[in-house]
Amino acid sequence: MRRTCFAILVLAGTISLARADDEASNVPQVTASQYGRCYAKSVPAERSGSKGSTKIYVVQPGEDSLRDTFSWYSNRIYLECGVGRANQHAGTSVVQFGPWARGSRAAADDLALAFHFAGKLVRRYSTLDIAGSPDNVSSSVSHYTVIERVEGYRWKGSNFSVFEVVTTDGRRLTFDPTTGEILSEQSTRQ
């Protein structure tokens, strides 16, 4: 009798752990820029993954205007309007994050983040690109991540900003949001 009760408790605990690691279903969502001058509406085509559409709107008096349309869905988007560099046309910067990656190792096929500027994809990074090696991840029961936190856009002067994330191994990556290029990599740990 004790063995049966123990087996039932172990099975219930295993089921509970497995469910705790399930990803939430995709749902339509809206994400606004820091000052609310533009926003993204992202609508999924499937219950999970990144198939769908994302539209970027600029806030106007009266009806808002459609700026860009992308053929992907993300439940985690960062964007800013009027981003640029000196002597460069300012545009809308959109940072698309991939879905919660399944497995326990970084992979070249798993999207970590992608940079879009002025309506075009300028750079895509896989989880393996960000991690540097397949095992340099933080994992749960059936998923993993390579980004610990998103620090977002940081203004550096007239129309110039950077986009920053901190990886699970403590590196702060600073990107140029107009090109997606990594500008610097610094340790956040002493």
Side-chain angles (χ1 to χ4, degrees):
M1 179 69 161
R2 282 186 172 178
R3 287 184 182 175
T4 303
C5 287
F6 181 73
I8 289 171
L9 286 174
V10 169
L11 180 61
T14 303
I15 290 170
S16 176
L17 279 176
R19 285 193 178 155
D21 199 35
D22 284 345
E23 56 207 74
S25 295
N26 287 342
V27 294
Q29 67 175 37
V30 171
T31 303
S33 64
Q34 182 178 0
Y35 299 107
R37 293 180 34 220
C38 58
Y39 61 92
K41 180 179 179 181
S42 198
V43 179
E46 298 176 342
R47 185 179 176 276
S48 63
S50 55
K51 290 184 180 176
S53 67
T54 298
K55 295 183 178 186
I56 308 300
Y57 294 90
V58 175
V59 176
Q60 306 276 327
E63 195 169 319
D64 298 341
S65 64
L66 178 63
R67 169 72 50 90
D68 300 308
T69 301
F70 301 102
S71 60
W72 47 260
Y73 166 81
S74 177
N75 64 7
R76 195 169 179 197
I77 298 170
Y78 289 78
L79 73 158
E80 282 299 335
C81 303
V83 173
R85 288 180 160 276
N87 302 320
Q88 179 190 35
H89 172 70
T92 302
S93 166
V94 179
V95 183
Q96 165 199 8
F97 283 80
W100 195 17
R102 293 181 176 137
S104 60
R105 295 171 57 89
D109 292 337
D110 293 341
L111 175 65
L113 70 164
F115 290 86
H116 304 266
F117 182 71
K120 294 182 172 88
L121 172 66
V122 292
R123 190 73 185 254
R124 179 189 190 283
Y125 292 92
S126 71
T127 57
L128 185 57
D129 293 332
I130 299 299
S133 71
D135 295 323
N136 192 18
V137 302
S138 175
S139 59
S140 64
V141 174
S142 60
H143 293 78
Y144 73 92
T145 186
V146 296
I147 296 174
E148 181 178 296
R149 73 179 178 273
V150 177
E151 295 189 342
Y153 291 93
R154 304 277 188 240
W155 296 103
K156 296 292 184 184
S158 178
N159 275 355
F160 178 67
S161 66
V162 296
F163 188 85
E164 295 179 332
V165 300
V166 175
T167 62
T168 55
D169 64 352
R171 293 173 292 128
R172 174 177 287 108
L173 302 179
T174 302
F175 299 89
D176 178 339
T178 67
T179 64
E181 174 186 350
I182 296 176
L183 299 174
S184 68
E185 181 176 324
Q186 298 173 334
S187 176
T188 60
R189 298 184 180 144
Q190 301 294 329

